[in-house]
Amino acid sequence: RYRTEASGDLVPRFNERFILTLGKCSNCLVCDDELNVLPLSKKSLKKLGTERFDKGDAGEVLMPAPQKEDMELQELQESLADTPHVGVLVDMAKTLDQAKALLVFLEACAEKTQKNTTVAMTAARGRGKSAAMGLCLAGAISFGYSNICVTAPEPENLVSVFEFLLKGLTALKY
């Protein structure tokens, strides 16, 4: 059923078993070579829901109305647009949680009277902690901090932190 010409001479059972195994995964869509979703991916399609997006005249997808959190983020970004150091960095945040974390960190940086201030950031995987931390470090540099230490178990873990540090410094015109 799910065989290709290239795999016909070998053991085609492997491909078929592999694809059937992927079909059992609820996070996987199995598509053919024309990117049509195969019926094998019913679990994934059900998980996506029945929400349909309207299409405009040019065929582009018209997104649904913004959610409450998106509106709060936009209001926060607009209210801080003219604030030096902070406005530019908060404008780069993609989620409300990132913007709030950035504000807490930059507030701690702005209060230089306290020498020992600790700010901790925790969240689930994929929530943008590294991006927020990179922007926070750019903000700390803009507040005049020069001795900043960043550690991680592996150097590869810091790639996105330094990527967003550079983006933040560029946005601050450094």
Side-chain angles (χ1 to χ4, degrees):
R1 281 188 333 201
Y2 300 109
R3 297 179 186 150
T4 63
E5 291 135 17
S7 64
D9 295 336
L10 299 173
V11 183
R13 291 185 313 253
F14 172 79
N15 287 347
E16 190 168 341
R17 286 181 183 169
F18 178 67
I19 291 173
L20 290 173
T21 303
L22 287 177
K24 293 176 186 174
C25 178
S26 62
N27 293 331
C28 178
L29 283 178
V30 180
C31 301
D32 63 11
D33 56 348
E34 294 177 1
L35 298 180
N36 298 314
V37 178
L38 297 176
L40 185 64
S41 303
K42 288 179 185 174
K43 285 184 183 179
S44 300
L45 290 175
K46 286 179 185 175
K47 185 178 175 183
L48 291 174
T50 58
E51 183 179 4
R52 300 272 183 218
F53 295 108
D54 296 326
K55 292 190 176 181
D57 296 335
E60 74 278 7
V61 174
L62 302 174
M63 297 305 290
Q67 306 240 339
K68 179 184 173 190
E69 193 172 287
D70 295 334
M71 292 172 52
E72 285 182 44
L73 174 62
Q74 188 174 6
E75 288 174 14
L76 180 63
Q77 289 171 333
E78 289 171 1
S79 69
L80 295 170
D82 297 330
T83 308
H85 307 287
V86 178
V88 175
L89 296 174
V90 170
D91 196 43
M92 296 178 74
K94 298 294 182 196
T95 65
L96 183 61
D97 289 335
Q98 278 184 337
K100 287 179 179 179
L102 191 56
L103 287 175
V104 168
F105 188 89
L106 294 177
E107 183 180 342
C109 289
E111 297 173 4
K112 292 184 179 182
T113 57
Q114 298 175 345
K115 289 186 177 183
N116 296 326
T117 301
T118 302
V119 179
M121 182 176 5
T122 60
R125 286 179 52 95
R127 303 304 306 155
K129 296 179 295 294
S130 295
M133 185 54 64
L135 295 176
C136 291
L137 293 175
I141 291 170
S142 74
F143 278 110
Y145 286 85
S146 57
N147 293 327
I148 301 172
C149 296
V150 181
T151 63
E154 297 292 329
E156 297 85 35
N157 298 352
L158 297 172
V159 170
S160 60
V161 172
F162 284 107
E163 177 184 336
F164 280 90
L165 169 61
L166 292 174
K167 286 181 181 183
L169 291 174
T170 302
L172 291 167
K173 297 184 175 38
Y174 273 84

